[in-house]
């Protein structure tokens, strides 16, 4: 799933490591999220939204066409 995590993280001047610590996940998880290789649980998605004070829909971009193509 496409997302704006990297953009928001950089605007907040956070490293992947710092964001991971705040979310209680590894830096590798943040990297995988940013690259769209990993879709977060709903709980993690809400935590991310809360940290950046955004709606989930502002962070994660759901594209039905991507879903159908298996992306």
């Amino acid at each position: 799933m496409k997302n704006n995590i990297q953009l928001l993280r950089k605007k907040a001047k956070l490293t992947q490591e710092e964001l991971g610590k705040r979310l209680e996940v590894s830096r590798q998880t943040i990297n995988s999220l940013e690259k769209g290789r990993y879709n977060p649980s709903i709980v993690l998605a809400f935590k991310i939204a809360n940290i950046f004070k955004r709606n989930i829909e502002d962070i994660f971009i759901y594209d039905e066409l991507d879903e159908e193509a298996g992306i």
Side-chain angles (χ1 to χ4, degrees), residues 24-59:
E24 300 177 331
V25 299
S26 69
R27 180 200 60 77
Q28 290 86 351
T29 298
I30 301 302
N31 184 272
S32 292
L33 284 165
E34 289 181 354
K35 293 183 182 284
R37 293 188 308 236
Y38 171 72
N39 291 327
S41 68
I42 191 69
V43 172
L44 182 55
F46 272 105
K47 285 181 178 181
I48 293 167
N50 188 43
I51 283 176
F52 295 119
K53 301 193 182 339
R54 302 284 178 117
N55 292 322
I56 288 176
E57 297 87 359
D58 295 335
I59 299 171

Side-chain angles (χ1 to χ4, degrees), residues 16-28:
Q16 288 181 341
E17 184 77 28
E18 290 166 334
L19 180 57
K21 284 183 182 178
R22 290 181 68 178
L23 292 168
E24 300 177 331
V25 299
S26 69
R27 180 200 60 77
Q28 290 86 351

Side-chain angles (χ1 to χ4, degrees), residues 5-21:
I5 296 172
Q6 185 176 33
L7 175 70
L8 293 167
R9 177 180 60 76
K10 288 182 176 183
K11 279 186 178 181
K13 296 183 170 50
L14 293 170
T15 65
Q16 288 181 341
E17 184 77 28
E18 290 166 334
L19 180 57
K21 284 183 182 178

